[in-house]
Amino acid sequence: MKPGARARLAILISGRGSNLQAFIDACAGGVLNADICVVISNNPAAAGLERAAAAGIATCCIDHRSFASRDAFDTALAAEVSRRQADLVILAGFMRILTPAFITPFSGRLLNVHPSLLPRYPGLHTHQRALDAGDPEAGVTVHFVTLELDGGPPIIQARVPVLPGDTAQTLAARVIEKEHLIYPLAAQWHISGRLQLTDTGAYLDGEPIPATGIDYQENAH
Ligand code: GAR
């Protein structure tokens, strides 16, 4: 990518697409120096596909059920992202486990948002697990994707309090507001060349990022 050029983002979704909407808004509002070159869903019924179409963005559905293996699906997915010449790949509620066939070609330019304070609660049902554990706070992590599920180096985390009477739904609603703030921010760090993934972890402006990511509340306003 040439310095200062607008990046091309491929955004992968499976559902509602509220994080996708945050990226659409961030691109339109100048927060992100980027354009979304394609939105890809593995789920033909994903509401996010309609959001993308309404914003005039190219969409593509690659239904995982049409493939004999994860590897075959991931190979098709990688081919589509490559064809669109994406600079950065954004997993935004993409609910398929990815294999090396997809992860390896995009290593270092593949980001995910996960609704917990990783390393706590990789996988599913994160909010209920935080409630069941009696955690005083919950949150969200944006991280580089590596071969370890939800285990790639964190970039940034935002925390929210767990309040008396919270359900998984009320907690999720509090967390997702933070998702919409920190995910475009991390993407802009990447686009502007400030963020790197190396063999020794994630770096921002050449400095190692702490093991749980940069704390949004303290440092990233
Ligand atoms: C978000 O909360 C995101 O963090 C989560 O799915 C939701 C998608 O919402 N992702 C994962 O759980 C990935 N393991 P959205 O479709 O409205 O952006």
Side-chain angles (χ1 to χ4, degrees):
M1 233 178 87
K2 291 186 186 139
R6 283 179 82 78
R8 293 170 65 81
L9 307 182
I11 302 194
L12 276 54
I13 63 167
S14 298
R16 176 179 57 178
S18 73
N19 278 287
L20 163 65
Q21 189 66 52
F23 275 84
I24 293 172
D25 296 344
C27 289
V31 174
L32 264 175
N33 190 27
D35 297 304
I36 302 169
C37 60
V38 67
V39 171
I40 305 174
S41 175
N42 66 300
N43 168 17
L49 287 171
E50 284 161 32
R51 290 182 196 264
I57 297 166
T59 62
C60 171
C61 181
I62 303 178
D63 189 337
H64 62 278
R65 294 168 299 189
S66 319
F67 294 84
S69 66
R70 278 190 194 278
D71 216 45
F73 169 70
D74 282 11
T75 300
L77 200 59
E80 181 63 23
V81 171
S82 296
R83 192 174 78 78
R84 302 283 182 170
Q85 299 184 303
D87 299 304
L88 181 62
V89 184
I90 300 292
L91 305 182
F94 185 71
M95 303 306 281
R96 300 293 302 167
I97 292 172
L98 291 165
T99 66
F102 189 83
I103 294 172
T104 304
F106 301 108
S107 178
R109 50 196 187 102
L110 176 55
L111 306 185
N112 183 42
V113 64
H114 183 78
S116 76
L117 297 171
L118 290 170
R120 285 176 87 72
Y121 315 128
L124 299 175
H125 310 301
T126 54
H127 303 302
Q128 191 58 53
R129 288 157 71 196
L131 291 172
D132 292 347
D135 292 353
E137 58 181 9
V140 51
T141 306
V142 175
H143 64 96
F144 278 109
V145 175
T146 60
L147 297 178
E148 189 187 344
L149 179 65
D150 296 331
I155 297 164
I156 184 168
Q157 285 189 332
R159 297 163 186 276
V160 301
V162 175
L163 300 179
D166 260 343
T167 63
Q169 288 72 29
T170 59
L171 187 53
R174 197 171 306 122
V175 169
I176 206 149
E177 287 181 18
K178 301 288 186 190
E179 300 191 25
H180 298 163
L181 294 175
I182 69 169
Y183 205 3
L185 178 64
Q188 181 54 32
W189 287 346
H190 195 286
I191 288 163
S192 57
R194 297 179 60 192
L195 191 60
Q196 269 91 34
L197 176 67
T198 75
D199 289 347
T200 52
Y203 290 77
L204 182 67
D205 297 331
E207 297 290 327
I209 293 176
T212 54
I214 286 163
D215 186 342
Y216 175 69
Q217 309 211 1
E218 282 177 21
N219 296 313
H221 290 279

